[in-house]
Amino acid sequence: MATPRGRTKKKASFDHSPDSLPLRSSGRQAKKKATETTDEDEDGGSEKKYRKCEKAGCTAACPVCFASASESHKDGYDKYTTWKKIWTSNGKTEPSPKAFMADQQLPYWVQCTKPECRKWRQLTKEIQLTPQIAKTYRCGMKPNTAVKPETSDHCSLPEDLRVSEVSNHWWYSMLILPPLLKDSVAAPLLSAYYPDCVGMSPSCTSTHRAASDTSPGKLEHSKAVPSVLVPGMNRYFQPFYQPNECGKALCVRPDVMELDELYEFPEYSRDPTMYLALRNLILALWYTNCKEALTPQKCIPHIIVRGLVRIRCVQEVERILYFMTRKGLINTGVLTVGTDQHLLPKDYHNKSVIIIGAGPAGLAAARQLHNFGIKVTVLEAKDRIGGRVWDDKSFTGVTVGRGAQIVNGCINNPVALMCEQLGISMHKFGERCDLIQEGGRITDPTIDKRMDFHFNALLDVVSEWRKDKTQLQDVPLGEKIEEIYKAFIKESGIQFSELEEQVLQFHLSNLEYACGNNLHQVSARSWDHNEFFAQFAGDHTLLTPGYSVILEKLAEGLDIRLRSPVQSIDYSGDEVQVTTTDGTECTAQKVLVTVPLALLQKGSLQFNPPLSDKKMKAINSLGAGIIEKIALQFPYRFWDSKVQGADFFGHVPPSASKRGLFAVFYDMDPQKQHSVLMSVIAGEAVAAVRNLEDKQVLQQCMATLRELFKEQEVPDPTKYFVTRWSTDPWIQMAYSFVKTGGSGEAYDILAEEIQGTIFFAGEATNRHFPQTVTGAYLSGVREASKIAAF
């Protein structure tokens, strides 16, 4: 940059960076361009007039000039001021001459793509590096020109000596300014942030803000920034928090390193800019195309930054990508890779793992470990995979989940990711749910809203009660709600009508469905312990093809041994010995246990040495919740005339004793072509039907439907099923809950590994997302990461 005439010139100074490319005296007109010169070319006989580099460890014998922005003073100054204006309007850091040099004047470096060469070359000043050039560059190429390279072998020329210094551990600490990527793929997702705070250059058009957003003050106060939607990207993919946004699961702050990142990369704790730039780029590239494995080679062309620091970024992106892969942040889901394309380096491959259970947790861990290059064997007691995921495909035109089939909150949900990878869609549930009374009348929506308000008010009072730390004694949630309800009636003098009382019972039955048990077994202190963590936001959906489509893809190519129930796990020796009920013995270095909580509580697996008292206490402080399902196919859709276009309708129980018995009926065909209803049995109703035959449960369900649609004929079903999860010898439950006297900490204790050898996964080990397939899946990904790291 040249200074304007008439301004006082400062004494010439040479601020060296690790590029060994200092800022030359700004007032001296450059007589020749020096962007391609080496130390020997640059003023070879006059080294003494330059002072020694102040950077410790810098081996440059003399500085290399790169500052010839223009042949004239005025043009150089105009270029600088134009850049400064753009930088100031978009960025937050100071638009200094040093920043200008780093952003506009340093040469680009690019690596030869020939496998036998791979040398780094400095591009001439007029060449702007692009991803396409980075993907195709060969030594001697003249990008952006029609001139073909000479026939001589340019790859034989030696590499610049400065390149080797970039790999030294001290090199990064010598940087004057951190690198800021140009035209990062992450830019559209981070338009609400100052680019230089998230590792991007403010001078690029991709990081320019709309005119109304250029005021820094406005940016700081832009609350509730809407989630950014990028054309072509799944709308459920929102990997970055927007400013002032919080409470969204599996989001990262693009301007802050997470604790586990700081632990893994402590060298970036002082200035995380380079790490953030590369991490944000990697996440954006992954969510742009999650159907293929993201490799360092796919990331490198998108690292556009001037100077030798690009070489360091290329070296670092590999480390960061492997870390993010191991943690399950990228390269996850149903992604499959070939045996010669393992996602982690060979250092991770020298392990063998036995996984007990082929449910969502076990299959998630097995898929991850297999993709990492680790030997995995899955032992499954049943004659099928899936565990508590079991889809019934015998109904005409419709898949009905005997277990899980609903996805609660799709934004950043790994289920949404896997659906994108498989090219399948989920049906978004509508919000309408008419409550139908026995006798056929649809409940006035204002009554439903009023009682929903009172129901939530009761839970709010429970929340206030547990804030009182002097109340050390836990009580059952059902008991506490009844106590609060009676006090409210007494103090307010309000008398609810019989219908209002029944509607309140409907809402309580929904709570029992969510908890998986009668409220008198559930902890009032910890019933919603996971709500203190960010949960999955967005649409609630029906996975119409069923979860089995996902699990079958996860299982593809894995060593899964069905009908192999495990009896004992002996980890007293150097290797773990697993014995099945038929006496078969298997050994491995690590074992992952993913069996349902109910089996751990009943001692179905024998551990040697036995599990610690702490672990057993945690296991027994959780409850093994039970719900059952009934599904019915009819000859025609008799409910359409009353429940028009809704995805479900509610059943107002005639009394408290009947709550939980077919409380909600789900229409299982979003296209409204087939005639299948599914309902749930929860709370006390589970015990009421446990000893009934399927036909008797069917009769009760049909009696209920005929009461709800009393004004018309309700046909007999052509097909039906009733689940029996509580009596399945290898399941015995639906999902976990916190029993009275327990706490959410039990989930974490259950998840703790033993001696780096025995690991635990499953929904009952996921404190953040229990009771769901998503939680089970994520627990498997979590344990795969831990196993790979040990």
Side-chain angles (χ1 to χ4, degrees):
M1 180 197 78
T3 54
R5 290 174 182 159
R7 295 201 177 192
T8 304
K9 297 180 186 177
K10 293 184 179 179
K11 184 178 179 182
S13 64
F14 304 95
D15 296 300
H16 289 244
S17 74
D19 290 72
S20 298
L21 298 176
L23 173 62
R24 199 170 219 188
S25 173
S26 60
R28 182 177 305 179
Q29 182 175 354
K31 299 220 177 186
K32 65 174 183 176
K33 295 182 180 179
T35 55
E36 293 179 87
T37 59
T38 62
D39 292 343
E40 290 79 11
D41 294 329
E42 180 73 6
D43 300 332
S46 56
E47 289 183 20
K48 291 183 179 178
K49 63 183 178 183
Y50 303 120
R51 73 182 184 208
K52 188 177 179 182
C53 178
E54 298 168 356
K55 292 288 182 180
C58 179
T59 58
C62 63
V64 179
C65 177
F66 61 86
S68 51
S70 172
E71 291 294 342
S72 74
H73 295 291
K74 186 175 187 303
D75 288 349
Y77 181 70
D78 288 346
K79 184 175 180 180
Y80 173 71
T81 53
T82 300
W83 169 87
K84 184 175 181 180
K85 184 177 180 181
I86 295 170
W87 188 282
T88 303
S89 65
N90 292 306
K92 193 172 185 180
T93 53
E94 180 189 356
S96 65
K98 293 177 183 178
F100 172 73
M101 294 300 171
D103 190 65
Q104 297 292 310
Q105 296 302 117
L106 282 173
Y108 284 109
W109 290 76
V110 66
Q111 192 172 26
C112 179
T113 56
K114 285 186 180 179
E116 64 273 18
C117 178
R118 308 298 293 163
K119 290 176 183 174
W120 284 92
R121 304 299 187 190
Q122 178 180 313
L123 295 178
T124 54
K125 183 178 177 182
E126 67 274 7
I127 296 175
Q128 297 294 315
L129 182 63
T130 66
Q132 186 57 31
I133 291 174
K135 287 177 186 175
T136 58
Y137 181 80
R138 300 286 182 91
C139 292
M141 280 181 62
K142 300 292 183 184
N144 304 334
T145 69
V147 180
K148 294 183 178 180
E150 300 171 9
T151 54
S152 60
D153 181 13
H154 291 273
C155 290
S156 63
L157 296 175
E159 189 175 57
D160 192 303
L161 294 176
R162 289 172 290 173
V163 172
S164 62
E165 294 186 349
V166 175
S167 300
N168 292 332
H169 70 278
W170 48 260
W171 191 92
Y172 179 71
S173 65
M174 291 169 55
L175 277 179
I176 293 174
L177 296 169
L180 298 175
L181 302 188
K182 294 176 178 287
D183 297 316
S184 171
V185 177
L189 295 167
L190 302 176
S191 59
Y193 287 88
Y194 290 109
D196 39 346
C197 292
V198 291
M200 302 186 301
S201 169
S203 68
C204 299
T205 55
S206 63
T207 55
H208 286 190
R209 300 182 192 289
S212 61
D213 293 335
T214 55
S215 165
K218 286 184 181 178
L219 186 72
E220 296 291 351
H221 296 95
S222 57
K223 290 203 174 187
V225 177
S227 296
V228 179
L229 295 178
V230 177
M233 185 180 289
N234 188 306
R235 64 193 178 95
Y236 293 138
F237 295 173
Q238 297 175 22
F240 301 112
Y241 274 122
Q242 298 304 304
N244 300 305
E245 187 182 37
C246 62
K248 201 158 61 176
L250 302 192
C251 257
V252 299
R253 285 279 303 276
D255 56 341
V256 174
M257 290 179 71
E258 306 281 344
L259 287 176
D260 57 346
E261 294 175 313
L262 286 166
Y263 182 80
E264 190 84 8
F265 300 96
E267 65 271 28
Y268 290 111
S269 59
R270 184 176 60 86
D271 185 351
T273 307
M274 181 190 286
Y275 180 86
L276 295 174
L278 297 175
R279 179 253 266 159
N280 295 345
L281 173 67
I282 289 169
L283 277 176
L285 285 169
W286 167 243
Y287 283 105
T288 301
N289 179 16
C290 62
K291 296 181 181 180
E292 297 178 2
L294 185 62
T295 62
Q297 291 69 36
K298 291 179 181 178
C299 297
I300 289 167
H302 296 280
I303 301 173
I304 307 297
V305 63
R306 292 179 179 272
L308 283 162
V309 74
R310 181 169 186 267
I311 301 172
R312 185 61 170 242
C313 287
V314 166
Q315 294 169 351
E316 289 296 284
V317 80
E318 186 171 58
R319 290 178 62 214
I320 297 170
L321 185 136
Y322 287 148
F323 166 74
M324 295 174 71
T325 295
R326 176 168 62 81
K327 297 292 286 187
L329 300 172
I330 62 168
N331 290 335
T332 187
V334 298
L335 197 70
T336 56
V337 298
T339 53
D340 58 341
Q341 299 173 313
H342 295 312
L343 298 177
L344 292 183
K346 290 183 179 179
D347 300 350
Y348 290 91
H349 299 178
N350 57 344
K351 296 185 182 77
S352 58
V353 183
I354 293 173
I355 296 177
I356 302 172
L363 292 177
R367 170 51 54 201
Q368 291 286 104
L369 292 169
H370 178 80
N371 286 354
F372 292 168
I374 295 171
K375 182 185 176 184
V376 182
T377 304
V378 182
L379 302 179
E380 168 56 49
K382 297 178 73 66
D383 59 359
R384 61 171 179 84
I385 65 168
R388 284 165 274 179
V389 170
W390 186 16
D391 291 333
D392 192 311
K393 299 179 185 293
S394 64
F395 289 82
T396 304
V398 175
T399 296
V400 183
R402 289 174 173 260
Q405 194 171 2
I406 292 172
V407 185
N408 293 309
C410 289
I411 293 176
N412 296 335
N413 196 310
V415 176
L417 173 82
M418 291 185 277
C419 285
E420 173 74 9
Q421 291 173 323
L422 290 169
I424 60 179
S425 59
M426 296 178 284
H427 170 67
K428 176 185 174 181
F429 279 132
E431 294 183 4
R432 181 176 149 217
C433 181
D434 293 333
L435 299 188
I436 307 176
Q437 306 160 35
E438 293 196 358
R441 177 177 294 182
I442 294 179
T443 304
D444 183 344
T446 58
I447 294 177
D448 181 20
K449 288 181 181 177
R450 185 186 312 142
M451 300 317 295
D452 183 46
F453 171 81
H454 284 294
F455 167 70
N456 284 297
L458 291 171
L459 296 180
D460 288 341
V461 177
V462 173
S463 296
E464 288 299 315
W465 163 78
R466 64 190 178 195
K467 288 179 182 177
D468 183 0
K469 301 304 180 185
T470 63
Q471 300 288 338
L472 301 176
Q473 189 72 29
D474 193 10
V475 296
L477 179 59
E479 183 181 306
K480 178 54 68 174
I481 288 175
E482 287 178 4
E483 175 190 316
I484 294 168
Y485 178 68
K486 287 176 182 176
F488 169 74
I489 294 296
K490 184 178 180 180
E491 292 174 15
S492 68
I494 292 177
Q495 288 296 319
F496 291 121
S497 68
E498 182 182 3
L499 175 58
E500 287 173 331
E501 293 277 7
Q502 291 170 345
V503 172
L504 180 60
Q505 293 299 317
F506 167 80
H507 288 292
L508 289 169
S509 73
N510 261 344
L511 184 58
E512 290 183 322
Y513 174 22
C515 292
N517 213 284
N518 183 292
L519 297 182
H520 286 277
Q521 303 296 319
V522 179
S523 165
R525 284 203 176 279
S526 303
W527 71 273
D528 60 345
H529 63 97
N530 59 308
E531 293 296 327
F532 295 99
F533 306 103
Q535 296 296 298
F536 291 104
D539 300 338
H540 298 304
T541 60
L542 178 71
L543 189 55
T544 43
Y547 273 108
S548 59
V549 177
I550 291 174
L551 298 194
E552 286 164 8
K553 186 65 177 177
L554 284 173
E556 201 172 87
L558 299 177
D559 181 6
I560 301 175
R561 303 175 189 180
L562 302 176
R563 303 180 189 85
S564 301
V566 171
Q567 183 174 7
S568 64
I569 302 170
D570 188 332
Y571 60 102
S572 59
D574 293 336
E575 286 198 321
V576 188
Q577 184 171 298
V578 176
T579 307
T580 61
T581 52
D582 66 359
T584 303
E585 294 181 353
C586 304
T587 58
Q589 294 168 314
K590 317 283 182 186
V591 167
L592 173 60
V593 179
T594 73
V595 301
L597 173 69
L599 298 190
L600 292 176
Q601 290 177 335
K602 294 180 179 179
S604 299
L605 294 180
Q606 298 169 19
F607 291 86
N608 182 33
L611 297 180
S612 67
D613 291 343
K614 178 184 177 184
K615 179 83 78 174
M616 290 307 303
K617 183 179 177 182
I619 288 171
N620 291 314
S621 70
L622 296 177
I626 291 289
I627 64 166
E628 301 291 0
K629 282 184 166 187
I630 182 170
L632 315 95
Q633 183 149 39
F634 296 94
Y636 57 89
R637 298 172 58 86
F638 65 85
W639 58 91
D640 274 350
S641 58
K642 180 178 285 190
V643 187
Q644 297 174 354
D647 292 310
F648 35 71
F649 56 89
H651 162 216
V652 179
S655 64
S657 63
K658 294 287 187 181
R659 90 176 181 218
L661 193 59
F662 322 121
V664 178
F665 286 87
Y666 293 85
D667 185 341
M668 299 305 292
D669 182 18
Q671 305 305 317
K672 313 303 180 188
Q673 300 297 313
H674 300 282
S675 313
V676 178
L677 291 176
M678 182 274 289
S679 191
V680 175
I681 304 165
E684 284 292 336
V686 173
V689 303
R690 181 170 290 137
N691 297 322
L692 300 181
E693 294 181 358
D694 289 0
K695 198 166 186 178
Q696 292 173 299
V697 178
L698 171 66
Q699 288 170 349
Q700 288 196 21
C701 186
M702 289 305 300
T704 299
L705 283 171
R706 285 176 173 137
E707 275 291 329
L708 301 185
F709 296 88
K710 203 163 189 175
E711 72 285 352
Q712 66 188 84
E713 181 182 346
V714 176
D716 288 332
T718 56
K719 183 175 180 57
Y720 75 97
F721 69 67
V722 177
T723 63
R724 299 290 181 178
W725 292 107
S726 62
T727 58
D728 186 313
W730 304 115
I731 304 290
Q732 300 186 29
M733 64 179 294
Y735 40 76
S736 62
F737 66 92
V738 180
K739 291 196 295 192
T740 305
S743 76
E745 187 184 4
Y747 286 89
D748 288 338
I749 296 171
L750 185 48
E752 292 173 357
E753 76 277 354
I754 303 173
Q755 300 174 9
T757 303
I758 308 297
F759 299 79
F760 296 84
E763 59 85 18
T765 72
N766 194 325
R767 186 175 187 177
H768 291 223
F769 315 111
Q771 306 175 324
T772 62
V773 173
T774 297
Y777 171 85
L778 287 171
S779 74
V781 172
R782 177 197 70 212
E783 294 308 303
S785 174
K786 287 162 64 174
I787 290 169
F790 263 100

